[in-house]
Amino acid sequence: MHEPTCDTMFCKPLDNDLTNEIQQRITVYLQLMLTSDHIDEKLRFLVQFQAKPGRFYVLPKLYKAGNPGRPIVFSNGHPTEHISEFVDFFSQISGY
């Protein structure tokens, strides 16, 4: 099996896990939006509790020469999971 590689033009390896920092930033921003009446209490579900880092893996494209990989980011449990679901829902019903 091939080890996933990272093209440094698009990504870089990190020295530490930023999940907790991202979670804290999201919580602060949502709280600011709530106190300034940009969102209401119903949108508290956007905060992901017990957040986990996203997982990166590569699926080979078997039909292409050299089997280049298709990058996949599995983000279940990631701090942005509920925000992504929210944006996806409204982008589908609005036609974007």
Side-chain angles (χ1 to χ4, degrees), residues 67-80:
N67 304 104
R70 176 186 309 271
I72 306 291
V73 178
F74 181 75
S75 60
N76 285 12
H78 190 269
T80 60

Side-chain angles (χ1 to χ4, degrees), residues 69-90:
R70 176 186 309 271
I72 306 291
V73 178
F74 181 75
S75 60
N76 285 12
H78 190 269
T80 60
E81 178 184 13
H82 296 305
I83 296 169
S84 297
E85 291 170 346
F86 180 79
V87 170
D88 184 55
F89 174 79
F90 282 100

Side-chain angles (χ1 to χ4, degrees), residues 21-82:
E21 180 184 330
I22 294 168
Q23 178 65 40
Q24 290 170 356
R25 289 165 124 187
I26 290 170
T27 303
V28 167
Y29 288 128
L30 289 173
Q31 188 62 41
L32 287 171
M33 291 169 34
L34 183 64
T35 57
S36 62
D37 293 328
H38 286 85
I39 62 174
D40 62 22
E41 195 67 34
K42 290 182 237 174
L43 295 180
R44 282 226 179 253
F45 79 91
L46 294 174
V47 175
Q48 173 73 24
F49 296 101
Q50 299 176 345
K52 299 182 280 190
R55 273 111 26 232
F56 176 82
Y57 60 98
V58 177
L59 290 178
K61 296 178 182 180
L62 300 176
Y63 54 90
K64 289 196 171 185
N67 304 104
R70 176 186 309 271
I72 306 291
V73 178
F74 181 75
S75 60
N76 285 12
H78 190 269
T80 60
E81 178 184 13
H82 296 305

